[in-house]
Amino acid sequence: MRERNLSKVFWTEALAGGVVLGVILFIWDLIGYGMDMPMKGSGMTSFVQFILIAGGLIYFCRRMREFRGLALGFPYTTVFGFVMAMMLFTGVVYGVGSFFLQVVIAPGYFDDVFETMLLNSSLNETLVEQTLEMRETMSSVMKNPIIYAFSGIFTMCIYGGLVGLIVAAFIKRPADPFAAQDTDEYNPTF
C-alpha cells in the first residue's frame, strides 16, 4: 500500500512542480517581452532562467525527499527520475505558454527579433534570405500548439535534465534501515 501511495505522491508532486515551474518560466518570458529583453542582455535572462529552474527543482525535490522519509531515502536515480517527470510537465506548460506569447499575444514581435538576429549575424546575405524564406514556408506548421508543446518538452527535458544531474547529487539521501516507517498519509502543504 505504501508503494502505491508513494507512486501517487511522486506523480502528484511532479505535476505540481512542473505546472508551477512552467508558469513561473512563462511569467519570466512575459516580463522579458514587456521589457524587450530578447534584444538586450540575453546572458542575464538565461542566467535568471537557470536560477528559476534550479530553485524550482531544489524546492520540489526536497519536498519529495521529505515525503519519502528516512526509511526509504531518496536515491540518486529516483531524484533524477523525479526531475525528469517534473520537467516533462514543465515543458508542456512552458511550450503552451510560449505558443500563446509568440502566436497570440505578440506574433510580429518575435518575427522581428528573429530577422534582426539574422541580419546582425555574420551570415552572408544569401543565407539570410534563404533562412527567412524557409521560415515563411514553415510558418503554418510552427503556429501549431502541439509543436510548441513538444518543443517545450524536448527543451525542458534536456535543459532541466542537465540541471537535474547536479541537483540530484545534492538532494539524494540514502535509506536509513533503522528509521521507523512513516505513515501512509499524504498531506501536501505549499
Side-chain angles (χ1 to χ4, degrees):
M1 186 68 174
R2 171 113 173 115
E3 289 297 320
R4 186 172 169 194
N5 285 343
L6 210 47
S7 177
K8 285 181 185 178
V9 170
F10 181 92
W11 288 106
T12 303
E13 286 297 310
L15 175 65
V19 168
V20 167
L21 191 54
V23 168
I24 288 172
L25 291 173
F26 172 66
I27 290 171
W28 176 246
D29 278 356
L30 280 175
I31 292 169
Y33 163 68
M35 296 178 69
D36 198 26
M37 278 195 241
M39 297 294 283
K40 309 174 201 162
S42 63
M44 182 57 134
T45 59
S46 296
F47 179 71
V48 170
Q49 189 175 21
F50 169 78
I51 295 298
L52 291 173
I53 290 173
L57 289 177
I58 290 169
Y59 176 76
F60 282 98
C61 285
R62 289 183 70 194
R63 280 175 52 97
M64 187 63 198
R65 182 177 68 183
E66 295 307 313
F67 284 131
R68 288 182 57 89
L70 291 173
L72 291 176
F74 202 28
Y76 185 85
T77 54
T78 307
V79 176
F80 187 69
F82 179 75
V83 165
M84 292 308 290
M86 192 171 135
M87 294 316 289
L88 177 81
F89 295 119
T90 301
V92 171
V93 172
Y94 184 66
V96 171
S98 294
F99 168 77
F100 281 110
L101 180 61
Q102 295 179 13
V103 175
V104 177
I105 297 172
Y109 175 76
F110 290 97
D111 291 337
D112 293 343
V113 168
F114 184 71
E115 281 183 42
T116 305
M117 275 185 357
L118 281 177
L119 294 174
N120 291 337
S121 69
S122 60
L123 297 175
N124 63 15
E125 194 173 307
T126 57
L127 282 174
V128 170
E129 289 175 11
Q130 289 174 349
T131 305
L132 290 174
E133 288 174 9
M134 186 171 45
R135 180 170 169 98
E136 286 182 26
T137 58
M138 298 294 292
S139 165
S140 63
V141 174
M142 292 306 296
K143 295 195 182 205
N144 187 344
I146 295 172
I147 300 292
Y148 275 89
F150 280 119
S151 173
I153 290 170
F154 180 74
T155 303
M156 284 298 135
C157 283
I158 297 293
Y159 191 61
L162 292 173
V163 174
L165 289 171
I166 299 166
V167 169
F170 292 104
I171 298 294
K172 68 179 180 171
R173 176 171 55 194
D176 183 4
F178 300 110
Q181 278 286 22
D182 296 338
T183 62
D184 289 338
E185 297 293 319
Y186 169 57
N187 297 318
T189 56
F190 281 100

